[in-house]
Amino acid sequence: MIKEEQLAKVMTLKDILFKLETNQPFALTRWGDGEWYNIRKLKGANCDGNIYYPDLGDALKEIVSVKQDYILGAQDYKTFNLDSDVEKYYQDWIDADIFHKASMQGNLQPLIETLKNKYVTYIGNQDLKKLSFVTEFITIPQNNVWLQREALLNLVRSTFDDKQKVYCFSAGMATNVFIHELWKENKTNTYIDVGSVFDPYVGKATRGYHKSLNLNKWK
């Protein structure tokens, strides 16, 4: 049984910014109820309309069952009353909601400013192309990109070059598999699952807390 203190390794937004600013490559994936539902082989879809695919669940379980050499974030399931199987899997879990909590507290600007000084390749739906820090954009379908996983992975691989890039993913539950595969192949880049954190900054309220954000200063 994993002790509770193992589920709360301290890593702050400041730590993430330091890694970015000092060009230390890393990978960060986030594990919430959708990922666990996939692993449990539930039928249906998450709040974004992404279907729970059995083979995606198999891939996610294979990843989380082995101690990884990159950062895995567990969603704060006790606070938000979410289903989670995090205690079944031994990883150096950190808080998966670092970026979301920073957004809620009005503290996301340092991340945005840091990304503006990087070569950022963003993988997400077309609306996110508006973000000011994006250097290169890879457009994916609104839902169920898992069905196009090989094509997407090959497209991302085609952007590898001698630049040290930061890859930001807003690609649903399949993101964890994409980042896992890309990190294994190329550890000179950084790969971050940013989830839906930037949606409200392009006019999309896809999570409950998005509607309560004060975005006037971002306009």
Side-chain angles (χ1 to χ4, degrees):
M1 184 69 173
I2 299 175
K3 296 179 181 179
E4 186 164 345
E5 57 264 27
Q6 292 176 300
L7 304 179
K9 294 284 184 179
V10 176
M11 178 169 284
T12 66
L13 179 59
K14 185 177 179 180
D15 297 323
I16 298 295
L17 295 177
F18 180 78
K19 285 180 176 292
L20 289 168
E21 291 165 356
T22 56
N23 299 314
Q24 298 180 42
F26 66 94
L28 168 60
T29 60
R30 301 168 56 253
W31 298 73
D33 53 353
E35 286 74 20
W36 304 123
Y37 288 156
N38 263 289
I39 291 173
R40 294 181 191 179
K41 302 295 179 68
L42 263 66
K43 295 182 179 180
N46 70 357
C47 62
D48 296 317
N50 288 302
I51 294 171
Y52 303 132
Y53 292 106
D55 55 345
L56 173 55
D58 291 339
L60 291 169
K61 185 173 183 178
E62 183 178 349
I63 292 168
V64 79
S65 296
V66 177
K67 182 70 166 57
Q68 300 300 335
D69 65 346
Y70 55 85
I71 306 165
L72 280 74
Q75 203 163 19
D76 188 359
Y77 67 98
K78 292 183 179 178
T79 299
F80 299 108
N81 195 29
L82 300 171
D83 287 325
S84 175
D85 292 331
V86 65
E87 295 187 29
K88 295 181 181 179
Y89 300 97
Y90 186 84
Q91 304 288 341
D92 291 328
W93 296 104
I94 70 160
D95 183 359
D97 293 324
I98 287 176
F99 304 132
H100 296 269
K101 289 177 180 176
S103 180
M104 293 168 71
Q105 296 162 5
N107 296 327
L108 201 62
Q109 188 64 28
L111 174 63
I112 293 171
E113 293 301 321
T114 299
L115 290 174
K116 283 181 179 179
N117 294 319
K118 301 297 175 182
Y119 192 107
V120 176
T121 301
Y122 204 113
I123 297 90
N125 65 68
Q126 184 67 26
D127 293 331
L128 293 162
K129 195 172 184 179
K130 305 171 189 175
L131 292 166
S132 61
F133 57 81
V134 173
T135 310
E136 180 177 43
F137 199 86
I138 296 175
T139 303
I140 61 172
Q142 195 71 32
N143 304 106
N144 302 315
V145 69
W146 178 246
L147 297 177
Q148 302 178 24
R149 54 191 177 277
E150 288 305 321
L152 175 60
L153 283 170
N154 287 333
L155 191 55
V156 176
R157 291 179 184 115
S158 73
T159 67
F160 289 167
D161 54 32
D162 57 354
K163 299 184 185 71
Q164 189 180 57
K165 299 182 179 181
V166 176
Y167 288 84
C168 292
F169 285 80
S170 295
M173 298 171 292
T175 291
N176 292 2
V177 179
F178 300 152
I179 290 179
H180 178 79
E181 293 299 325
L182 295 166
W183 176 253
K184 284 196 306 181
E185 296 173 24
N186 188 324
K187 296 184 180 181
T188 64
N189 296 313
T190 289
Y191 310 90
I192 308 175
D193 177 1
V194 294
S196 61
V197 71
F198 292 115
D199 283 0
Y201 304 101
V202 296
K204 298 175 64 179
T206 59
R207 297 294 185 272
Y209 82 88
H210 289 170
K211 298 176 183 178
S212 63
L213 293 177
N214 180 3
L215 300 178
N216 289 330
K217 64 180 180 178
W218 304 99
K219 294 181 180 178

